[in-house]
Amino acid sequence: MSTVDVLDSRTSPSTLCCIVVRWNVFWCIAAMWCKKLMERGGYYRDCCTCLLPPVQKAFIRQRGSLILKRREFSIGACATILSLPSIALANKYPDRPIKLIVPFAAGSSPDTNMRFFAHEFGKVLGQPLVVENRPGANGITGTIGALGSPKDGYSIMYVNANTLAINPYLFPKQKYQPLRDMTLLGMTSLGANILVTRPTLEVKNVAELIALAKAKPGVLSMGSSGTGTTGHLSGELFKEMAKIDVVHVPYKGSAAAYTDLTAGRVDFMFDNLVSLGTQEKDGRVKVLAVTTAERNGILPHVPTLKESGLKEYEVLSWGGIAAPKGIPEPIVTALREALDKVKQSPTYVDYFKKIGGFMLPSMTEAQLVSFVQAEEKKWSAIIKKSGAANT
C-alpha cells in the first residue's frame, strides 16, 4: 500500500502518523548514506551526485509536510536502487586482467589470430587479456568450460562456425546451445577457405579435378584437419555440388593433413587460408580455388569456386567473441564498444589484410544472431546429408 492510498477519511491518525514517520526516517537515512559515500570519492561520488536530487525531491514541496507523493517516491526509489550498480560497473570495469578462452590448440589459426586480437583488445580496455587454450572435442571442451565461468565479464570466449553453427548438429548430445547460453559480442575475423591439391595431381583447375573424380569414383582422397571442421564440411559441400564420390581422410589438425598432402598420400583438401603459409610459393601444393564469393587479395590469381562453375558455392571462415549469458548489461556494452574500436584500428586492419582477411562488418546483436542462424541452416543440412553427425 502506498502512502497516497491511505490518505483518505478512513485512515486513523495513528496509522497516518506511523506511515509518515517511517518514510521520513527512510529518506533521512538515504540522504545521510549518499553524503557519506560522496566523501569516499571516485565512482561513489558520481553515483551520489546523481542520487541526491531525486532523494531531496521525494519530499512534497509544501514546507513542513512529511507526506510523500506516489510519483516522486517512485522516482527517488528507482534511482536509488537501479542507478548505483550501473554507474559503478560502468566506471569500474575492468579493474583486473580478463581471461580469453580459446577452445582450440595453441598454434592453430584461431589461436594465432586471437593472440594478436587479445593484445589490441587489452590496449583499448586498459587491462591485459590472458589467452587460455582449452582444446578438445572440436571446441566443445573449452566452450563448456567458458560457459561455466562467473558471469562477471572477466571470462570471455572465442567462438567460430564450429562452436556456434556446426557442433550443435555434429554433436546433438552436447551440453550447450549457443544462442540460448551465450551473449554474442561481435566478429573478430572474416576470411576464406581454399581448395588445394598435392603438387603431382595432374589437374590445373577445379573443372579438371571434378572431371578426374567423376572418371575415378571412390578413388581420389580428400584430407581435412578433422571430422566436422569447416575444412571437412567445405569438402562435403563441394562433393554434393560437384556430384562426385571421393574418400574423406580426417587428420588431427591442419599440419598433419598438409604433411600427407605434400607427400602425395592424399589428393586434395579444403582448409583455412591462414594455414597455407608459403606452401604454394614453395611449390609444395597447388591452390585451385577460394571458397568466398570474391577473390582474395593475397591470392588474386586464384579463382573462386563460383567462377569455377559451382555457382551457389560460398563458405566463409569467421570467428568472434562471446560471453556467458547473464553478465551485466553495462559490461556487455563496454566490451562491444572496445571491440568496435579494435576493428577500426589501422594495426588490426593491416594485420588481417596481410593474412587474407576481409573488412569486418559492424553488426548489432540481432544481426549477429541472424548470421549464426543462417550458418546453422547451411551446415546442419550438409551434416545431415554427409552422415557426419556423431549420434
Side-chain angles (χ1 to χ4, degrees):
M1 182 179 293
S2 72
T3 305
V4 175
D5 290 334
V6 301
L7 298 182
D8 57 27
S9 59
R10 295 170 292 178
T11 308
S12 68
S14 61
T15 301
L16 177 59
C17 181
C18 182
I19 293 170
V20 171
V21 170
R22 285 178 180 176
W23 285 121
N24 182 39
V25 171
F26 172 80
W27 286 111
C28 285
I29 292 173
M32 292 173 62
W33 178 68
C34 287
K35 289 179 180 179
K36 287 284 186 182
L37 287 176
M38 288 181 70
E39 293 173 2
R40 296 180 64 178
Y43 73 90
Y44 295 104
R45 181 170 57 244
D46 298 336
C47 295
C48 295
T49 301
C50 299
L51 297 181
L52 271 176
V55 170
Q56 293 167 345
K57 289 181 181 180
F59 294 100
I60 198 162
R61 286 186 295 271
Q62 294 179 359
R63 182 176 298 175
S65 176
L66 297 178
I67 300 173
L68 292 172
K69 283 186 176 180
R70 183 202 303 252
R71 180 181 176 190
E72 290 173 331
F73 166 72
S74 300
I75 294 172
C78 289
T80 302
I81 296 170
L82 299 178
S83 296
L84 179 59
S86 295
I87 295 171
L89 283 168
N91 286 338
K92 191 178 180 182
Y93 179 84
D95 64 355
R96 62 181 188 270
I98 299 170
K99 183 188 298 181
L100 174 59
I101 296 174
V102 177
F104 299 97
S108 62
S109 56
D111 174 69
T112 302
N113 289 341
M114 292 314 293
R115 288 185 183 276
F116 181 85
F117 167 80
H119 177 72
E120 297 300 310
F121 202 52
K123 288 195 296 185
V124 173
L125 286 173
Q127 288 288 344
L129 261 71
V130 180
V131 174
E132 182 177 306
N133 297 96
R134 295 192 192 177
N138 207 36
I140 293 176
T141 302
T143 300
I144 291 176
L147 290 173
S149 302
K151 298 175 175 58
D152 57 6
Y154 289 95
S155 290
I156 59 178
M157 72 194 88
Y158 171 76
V159 292
N160 63 6
N162 289 99
T163 57
L164 292 187
I166 293 173
N167 285 346
Y169 302 94
L170 189 66
F171 304 100
K173 294 181 181 180
Q174 68 174 24
K175 297 179 180 180
Y176 73 92
Q177 291 299 320
L179 297 181
R180 180 196 67 192
D181 300 333
M182 299 179 188
T183 296
L184 304 180
L185 299 174
M187 301 281 281
T188 58
S189 60
L190 190 64
N193 283 345
I194 52 175
L195 167 57
V196 294
T197 73
R198 58 180 170 87
T200 55
L201 190 65
E202 295 181 354
V203 298
K204 297 178 182 178
N205 52 50
V206 174
E208 291 183 2
L209 175 62
I210 293 173
L212 180 61
K214 287 183 175 180
K216 299 179 178 181
V219 174
L220 295 188
S221 55
M222 178 186 75
S224 79
S225 57
T227 300
T229 60
T230 55
H232 169 213
L233 297 179
S234 293
E236 294 293 342
L237 181 60
F238 175 69
K239 285 168 55 180
E240 180 192 342
M241 289 189 173
K243 295 180 172 51
I244 58 175
D245 177 20
V246 298
V247 178
H248 174 227
V249 183
Y251 290 84
K252 293 183 178 180
S254 296
Y258 267 114
T259 296
D260 272 10
L261 182 72
T262 56
R265 287 188 281 270
V266 288
D267 296 309
F268 71 97
M269 62 183 279
F270 284 82
D271 198 40
N272 194 286
L273 174 56
V274 177
S275 302
L276 177 65
T278 62
Q279 294 182 97
E280 184 198 28
K281 293 180 180 179
D282 298 341
R284 288 180 285 165
V285 299
K286 293 188 291 188
V287 183
L288 299 190
V290 295
T291 62
T292 45
E294 298 178 355
R295 295 194 181 200
N296 193 278
I298 65 171
L299 295 173
H301 59 288
V302 177
T304 67
L305 281 160
K306 283 189 173 184
E307 292 178 89
S308 303
L310 302 180
K311 301 298 184 183
E312 302 300 318
Y313 195 104
E314 181 180 6
V315 170
L316 292 171
S317 173
W318 54 271
I321 56 172
K325 186 80 78 176
I327 68 172
E329 193 59 35
I331 291 179
V332 173
T333 300
L335 289 169
R336 286 178 175 154
E337 289 177 351
L339 176 57
D340 285 340
K341 289 180 181 178
V342 170
K343 293 192 294 187
Q344 293 168 11
S345 74
T347 304
Y348 196 73
V349 172
D350 184 58
Y351 171 79
F352 274 97
K353 280 185 178 179
K354 286 181 178 178
I355 63 173
F358 297 95
M359 291 297 292
L360 295 168
S362 180
M363 293 187 185
T364 64
E365 184 175 9
Q367 289 172 328
L368 283 168
V369 170
S370 295
F371 175 81
V372 172
Q373 288 173 334
E375 290 286 288
E376 284 182 330
K377 184 177 180 180
K378 175 198 292 182
W379 293 123
S380 62
I382 297 300
I383 291 168
K384 184 177 179 180
K385 290 178 181 177
S386 68
N390 187 342
T391 56

